[in-house]
Amino acid sequence: MRYIEPHAHMVSRTTDDYLSMVTAGCSAVCEPAFWAGFDRSGVQGFHDYFCQLTDYEPKRAAKFGLPHFCWLCINPKESEDMGLAAEVLSIIPGFIDRPTVLGIGEIGLNKNTRNELAILERHIDLAARHDQLILVHTPHLEDKHKGTRLILDAIQADSRIQPDRVIIDHVEEHTVEMVLDRGHWAGMTLYPESKCTAARAVDIIECYGGERLWLNSACDWGISVPLAVPYAGLEMRKRQFSAGRIDQLLYGNPQKFLSQNPRFKAL
Ligand SMILES: [Zn+2]
């Protein structure tokens, strides 16, 4: 089995995780910018984080023969501080042309507040001005349906954004349809305790056919499983998916979306 891990927070993982991923058939890993498990005290913290994502982490992954790519933004959780968010937005263009940057993400909403929405719109504008792909984080649990709708409307309101250059991540049964209906890609996040299990993700694929869908582990500093994507491949095998179809879902689909940025190259 080969697969692409399109959403993983590798800065919080160990080298053992890199080794396991490569051994399981991982062909590329992509790391969106996100919350670090704590609030950063100023823009310098984000500068250092962007250096880590664009410089140090690709080198760490390369020791295991794994191509590493990243996305840049200030995450919705820390966007509540609009002064800080404006400062972070101002330093992103200085990193955007680095050779492993794929686009703007993971932007979106956390608690669906007015401030978060304002900063989301500024990120969408930034992506449009620099012709960047967009990766979107959708809120958790009870806020997800409303938050997803607010995000979709904010994207639709900017006519410069092509829907198929946007992936809306962490979709679940009640949000996947509205995302696909708008012409976007949808990501399913495989978590042991929340979001989507492998069985639920494969159910969703069976219902919606698997076009414009990808799976990721979003592994981070919390309880999460770096091998969740190949484990979902095993669930597909159990359900008699052909090898070709599994390859399409775990490798072909993310490859198609991410290759819209010519910098993306999987093994
Ligand atoms: Zn994430």
Side-chain angles (χ1 to χ4, degrees), residues 60-128:
R60 204 161 74 102
K63 288 184 184 149
F64 300 88
L66 188 61
H68 177 285
F69 300 90
C70 70
W71 301 74
L72 302 176
C73 75
I74 175 168
N75 62 86
K77 200 169 161 66
E78 285 169 282
S79 296
E80 190 56 31
D81 180 343
M82 290 183 73
L84 174 63
E87 284 185 89
V88 176
L89 277 156
S90 75
I91 67 167
I92 292 174
F95 288 90
I96 234 165
D97 291 325
R98 292 200 174 184
T100 55
V101 175
L102 296 177
I104 300 298
E106 55 187 298
I107 58 173
L109 297 172
N110 180 48
K111 295 284 178 202
N112 300 337
T113 69
R114 200 180 288 266
N115 287 2
E116 289 171 14
L117 193 58
I119 298 304
L120 169 65
E121 287 166 352
R122 289 193 58 182
H123 277 107
I124 295 168
D125 173 66
L126 180 71

Side-chain angles (χ1 to χ4, degrees), residues 7 9 34 106 170 218:
H7 186 150
H9 298 286
F34 198 51
E106 55 187 298
H170 319 319

